[in-house]
């Protein structure tokens, strides 16, 4: 897949433009989004991702379009897990609902910039050393086991991680516990300090980077094209703000989400290990020769990912649905 420098520049310009539009159209004026607004714009961003996949199909073929869609769905599903953390952070800092959009948007921008660096490093490592796939695969399997083990205790786990991040930020930077409207920086006693809103933004941005430690290797298990990895991440993150307000209390009902994500990560981890064996150059494995193993096609990966998410969602909603009480006779 050949992607020219011009295509990269145009793509980045369009993504920046969408974030700027989002800020001026929805975030600049503080307000709490309605369900209709959140649903409408969530649909718009998902539609843009589908449209971009069609552009990939038109320019580079169906195989790469399938890789983009598989990557986008995986990143979108993993980003839903991020929303649990966002809820905890917003509650931790008691961010007023009319300002939560602002915190989320800027936090997502920080996350995308830092993920871009992760993607560039990952692409360079893969191009230089094929054995990196062994590391990515093993790490994803390890993450899957940990995610399944912690299922049901996500709030406690994330609250502990959040506390460590907050302590680190407050120890390094001057902060205040008092809000000053929607300001990120204010003055206290003539000294510039960070408001709780700014601290929440920093914590959200860097927390998302921690999630990138498993999401970036996961998408490299579906495509080795850095352009598709970056755009799939960008489209998954762009609609995350609207998804936060759209899902709301529904997050608590996705009781099996962690198990589903763990299964997806384990599957992609196994796929990466198989790919590493297929491209093997390590001398202590099969004498440095390629190993004849099954190479799982993208179409199968796409079916597995969609199937697991569908079963997980339906099972979660059935499990957590309100039970009707039978009136006493």
């Amino acid at each position: 897949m050949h992607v020219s420098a011009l295509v990269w520049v145009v793509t980045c310009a369009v993504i920046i433009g969408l974030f700027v539009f989002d800020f001026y159209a929805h975030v600049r004026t503080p307000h709490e989004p309605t369900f209709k607004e959140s649903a409408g714009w969530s649909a718009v961003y998902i539609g843009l991702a589908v449209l971009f996949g069609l552009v990939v199909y038109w320019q580079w073929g169906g195989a790469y379009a399938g890789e983009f869609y598989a990557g986008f769905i995986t990143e979108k599903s993993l980003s839903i897990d991020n929303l649990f953390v966002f809820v905890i952070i917003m509650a931790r800092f008691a961010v007023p609902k009319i300002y939560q959009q602002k915190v989320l948007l800027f936090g997502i921008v920080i996350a995308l910039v830092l993920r871009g660096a992760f993607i560039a490093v990952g692409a360079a490592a893969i191009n230089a050393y094929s054995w990196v796939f062994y590391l990515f695969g093993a790490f994803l399997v390890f993450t899957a086991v940990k995610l399944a083990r912690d299922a049901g205790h996500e709030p406690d786990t994330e609250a502990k991680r959040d506390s460590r991040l907050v302590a680190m930020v407050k120890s390094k930077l001057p902060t205040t516990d008092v809000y000053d409207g929607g300001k990120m920086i204010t003055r206290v006693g003539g000294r510039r300090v960070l408001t709780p809103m700014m601290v929440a933004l920093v914590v959200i941005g860097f927390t998302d980077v921690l999630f990138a430690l498993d999401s970036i290797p996961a998408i490299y298990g579906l495509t080795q094209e850095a352009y598709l990895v970056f755009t799939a991440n960008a489209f998954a993150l762009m609609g995350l703000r609207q998804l936060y307000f759209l899902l709301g209390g529904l997050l608590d009902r996705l009781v099996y989400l962690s198990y589903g994500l763990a299964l997806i990560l384990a599957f992609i981890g196994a796929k990466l290990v198989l790919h590493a064996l297929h491209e093997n150059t390590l001398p202590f494995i099969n004498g440095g020769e390629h190993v004849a193993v099954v190479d799982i096609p993208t179409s199968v990966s796409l079916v597995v990912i969609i199937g697991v998410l569908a079963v997980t969602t339906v099972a979660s909603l059935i499990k957590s649905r309100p039970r009707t009480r039978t009136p006493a006779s």
Side-chain angles (χ1 to χ4, degrees):
M1 180 181 183
H2 174 70
V3 182
S4 66
L6 178 61
V7 172
W8 271 103
V9 170
V10 170
T11 302
C12 291
V14 170
I15 290 171
I16 292 171
L18 287 171
F19 276 113
V20 171
F21 166 78
D22 204 10
F23 174 76
Y24 281 99
H26 305 108
V27 177
R28 190 180 185 186
T29 303
H31 70 285
E32 182 181 353
T34 62
F35 178 86
K36 182 179 179 181
E37 177 185 341
S38 300
W41 283 103
S42 291
V44 167
Y45 282 113
I46 291 174
L48 287 175
V50 173
L51 182 62
F52 180 79
L54 295 177
V55 172
V56 173
Y57 178 84
W58 171 52
Q59 286 292 319
W60 294 285
Y64 290 118
E67 290 179 5
F68 169 77
Y69 285 129
F72 169 72
I73 293 171
T74 300
E75 292 299 316
K76 197 70 174 178
S77 60
L78 289 171
S79 69
I80 291 175
D81 204 33
N82 294 25
L83 298 183
F84 287 101
V85 185
F86 293 172
V87 170
I88 293 171
I89 293 173
M90 293 296 187
R92 165 72 173 78
F93 290 98
V95 179
K97 288 191 174 182
I98 62 171
Y99 297 124
Q100 288 184 5
Q101 287 198 99
K102 185 176 182 180
V103 174
L104 287 170
L105 181 64
F106 283 100
I108 289 168
V109 170
I110 292 173
L112 183 58
V113 171
L114 295 175
R115 282 194 184 201
F118 272 56
I119 291 167
V121 171
I126 288 171
N127 289 332
Y129 311 104
S130 61
W131 51 261
V132 168
F133 287 110
Y134 285 115
L135 299 180
F136 280 2
F139 180 73
L140 286 183
V141 172
F142 168 78
T143 304
V145 172
K146 186 176 184 299
L147 191 59
R149 187 183 60 197
D150 292 341
H153 304 285
E154 293 90 348
D156 295 334
T157 302
E158 300 307 335
K160 291 177 182 177
R161 179 189 294 173
D162 168 47
S163 297
R164 290 194 295 267
L165 280 170
V166 172
M168 181 187 71
V169 171
K170 287 190 172 184
S171 67
K172 303 295 182 182
L173 300 171
T175 61
T176 178
D177 293 327
V178 180
Y179 280 93
D180 186 5
K183 293 182 179 179
M184 298 287 186
I185 300 175
T186 189
R187 285 185 176 274
V188 175
R191 183 189 181 199
R192 287 183 177 274
V193 295
L194 305 184
T195 65
M197 189 177 299
M198 185 63 171
V199 178
L201 187 155
V202 173
V203 172
I204 282 179
F206 281 94
T207 298
D208 191 82
V209 172
L210 296 179
F211 278 95
L213 292 176
D214 52 43
S215 66
I216 298 301
I219 193 172
Y220 268 120
L222 301 168
T223 177
Q224 281 80 63
E225 300 294 335
Y227 180 73
L228 297 181
V229 173
F230 175 73
T231 51
N233 270 272
F235 279 106
L237 289 174
M238 273 194 293
L240 196 57
R241 178 182 63 80
Q242 290 83 359
L243 202 60
Y244 171 87
F245 293 101
L246 177 63
L247 294 181
L250 184 62
L251 287 174
D252 293 333
R253 297 186 62 189
L254 299 177
V255 293
Y256 295 131
L257 177 63
S258 292
Y259 293 110
L261 294 178
L263 187 57
I264 290 172
L265 290 178
F267 169 78
I268 298 175
K271 185 176 185 292
L272 277 170
V273 172
L274 290 174
H275 180 76
L277 289 169
H278 190 268
E279 303 292 329
N280 178 62
T281 56
L282 295 178
F284 53 86
I285 298 179
N286 198 35
E289 298 294 328
H290 301 336
V291 181
V293 293
V294 176
D295 192 13
I296 302 174
T298 303
S299 57
V300 173
S301 300
L302 195 54
V303 169
V304 170
I305 292 166
I306 293 175
V308 169
L309 289 175
V311 171
T312 299
T313 301
V314 172
S316 294
L317 295 179
I318 292 175
K319 173 70 175 178
S320 60
R321 66 182 175 183
R323 298 190 179 185
T324 56
R325 299 180 62 183
T326 304
S329 57

